[in-house]
Amino acid sequence: MSELHLPNRIRQLALSQPSAPAVTAGDTTLTYAEFDSYTNRVATALTSLASPPGRVGALLRMGLPGVAAFVGCAKAGLVFTPINWRLNPDEIAWIAADAEIGVLVVEADFVAAAQAVADALPGVRIVVVGDEAPLAGARTWNQLVESGDDTDPGLGDDPETPVLQLYTSGTTGNPKGVVAVHRNLYNVPENFELYEFEDDSVSLNALPLFHIAGSGWISTSLSAGLHLVLLGEMRPATVAAAIAENGVTHAFLVPSAIGMLLELPDLADYDLSSLKLIAYGASPITPTLLARTMDTLGCRLVQRYGMTETMGALTALRADDHDPHGPRTDLLRSAGTPLPGTEVQIRDIVTGEPLPQGATGEIVSRSRNNVSGYWKRDAENAALYTEDGFLRTGDAGHIDEDGYLFVTDRVKDMIITGGENVYPVEVEAVLAEHPAVAEVAVVGLPDERWGEAVTAVVRLIDGAERPTEEELVAFTAGRLASYKKPQRIHIVAELPRNASGKILKRTLRDTLGEREASAS
C-alpha cells in the first residue's frame, strides 16, 4: 500500500515520466523530475529547522510553495499544518500555538499574522514567501530552498506516520486539529477511475490549501500523475481564464464557485471546451444548479461527500448518475454510493442503533481514510467514534433501496417547528428552482408559537426582477408540505461564508435572531 503514498508517487513519477509537467503556478512549470528535486531541497531544508514529527505551519494561498512544503514535509517525516489565512492574527496565533508549530512559512501579505505567531511562540522559525523577510530572524522562501540539497530523506513509507494536520472551521468554538497519517491519504487506484483521468489530463486546484478539498485534490492529482495547475484564489474570471489557457480537463470546485462561474457575464468569451469533468463537494448543491452546470458547460460531473475527519470522500455520485433529464433525476439530490473500502450506515441519533432502509438518522462511516482523532482532544476523540469503530459524521441522511446515500442536513441544523422535523436542504432545493433565486440558505429561528420558524435567506440573481416575500412563499406551495414552507424570508446581498465556501448558518441564525429581537 505504501507505494501509493504521496511522497512515494512523486519519487516513482520522477523516474517513469520525468519530463511530464507536474505543477504550474503562474509562469512557472516544473516537470516531475524537477518537482521531485525541488521538494527534496525543501525537505532537507525544513529538517534543518525542525525535527520529525514536528509541525510546519503555513499561511499560504494555493501555489508552488504550499504544494512543495506539503510534499517536502511528507518526504521528511514532518507534519504539514496549513492555517486559514483569512482568520485574524489572534485566531491564527491560537491555532499555531495549539499545533505547537516549529516553522511557519508565510506569504508576505500575511506578515502581521506571522508576527502574532512569533509573539505567541518565541522559538518559531519564520520563512517568508517574497523578496524580503521583514521579521527579525526570518529568511525568504528562496533562501530556504537554496539551503537544502537534492538528498531525499526517504521517509513516507510508514502508513501510520502523521503527515497532515488540518483545522476544522471553528464555526462552533475553537478549531480542532485533525491529524491525518499517510494511510488516511492513501489513493485507491479505483478512485482514479471515478474521475475518468487520462494520461494527458490537466487538473485545476484553486481551493484553499488549509481545506481537505484543496490538500486532498493535490494528493489525488499528483498521485495520479496529472499536470496540476495552481491558482491562489477562487475568482470566477481567473478560473475561466486558467481553464482556457492551460487546457484544463478536470477541476474540483465548491458549489458556490460553480454558481459564480456560471454567472460570469462574459463566460461565453472563454474557451472552456477542454473541460471534461468537474468534481464538486464541500457543501450542498441544488439539482437546479447541477442541471444548469451540465447544460452550460457541457462537461461531466462527479460529487464527493465527506469531511475533514474522513480525509476526503466517503461516497461519490458518479458521472453516469448525473442525468437531469433521465428516469432517476432524484439522484441529483443524492451523495451517491460508498467508495471502495468504505462502509456507510444510518444510526438512530439518540440510541445509536442501526436504522432500516429509508429511515433518516445520523450518517456513520468506517474506512481507512478516517482519522484516529483530533490533536490533543481526548474528550472530543471519545465522542467521535461509536463503540464498533464507526465515525459519527454529524450529518443526517438516509439510504434508499439501491444503496444511494441522501444527505438531509447537519443534525444540528434540523429545524423542529410545531413538533415536526424540517431538514433545510429540502426547502433550499425548492426555492432554488425560482428563476430569480441565485442562492438560498434555510435556518430555524426562535418562535413563540411554533418553537422554531422556518426562515429562508435568499440572494437573488443580478438583474433579476425582485420577487416579494409572499411570491417566494407561494412558489413553494404544492412543492412542500405546509409545515415545511418558509414562514419568514429575508433577501440579502450576500450570504456569509467561511474560507471553504460553506454558508455559515450559525452566523445567519445569530444575525437574524438579533435583528428580529430588536425589531420586536
Side-chain angles (χ1 to χ4, degrees), residues 481-510:
S482 179
Y483 69 88
K484 295 180 181 180
K485 291 192 299 183
Q487 294 152 278
R488 307 167 190 170
I489 291 183
H490 297 266
I491 297 176
V492 298
E494 294 292 339
L495 292 167
R497 301 180 184 279
N498 66 13
S500 63
K502 291 183 180 179
I503 295 173
L504 297 174
K505 290 193 173 182
R506 181 185 179 187
T507 300
L508 283 176
R509 282 191 292 266
D510 292 346

Side-chain angles (χ1 to χ4, degrees), residues 7 52-56 70 72-81 155-165 178-185 371-373 375:
R55 268 64 181 165
V56 174
F70 182 14
C73 283
K75 286 183 171 183
L78 297 166
V79 182
F80 186 56
T81 309
L155 299 180
D157 283 330
D158 181 3
E160 301 304 323
T161 296
V163 63
L164 180 66
Q165 185 160 318
V178 180
V179 182
V181 298
H182 282 284
R183 167 177 53 81
N184 302 138
L185 289 174
V371 301
S372 59
W375 171 251

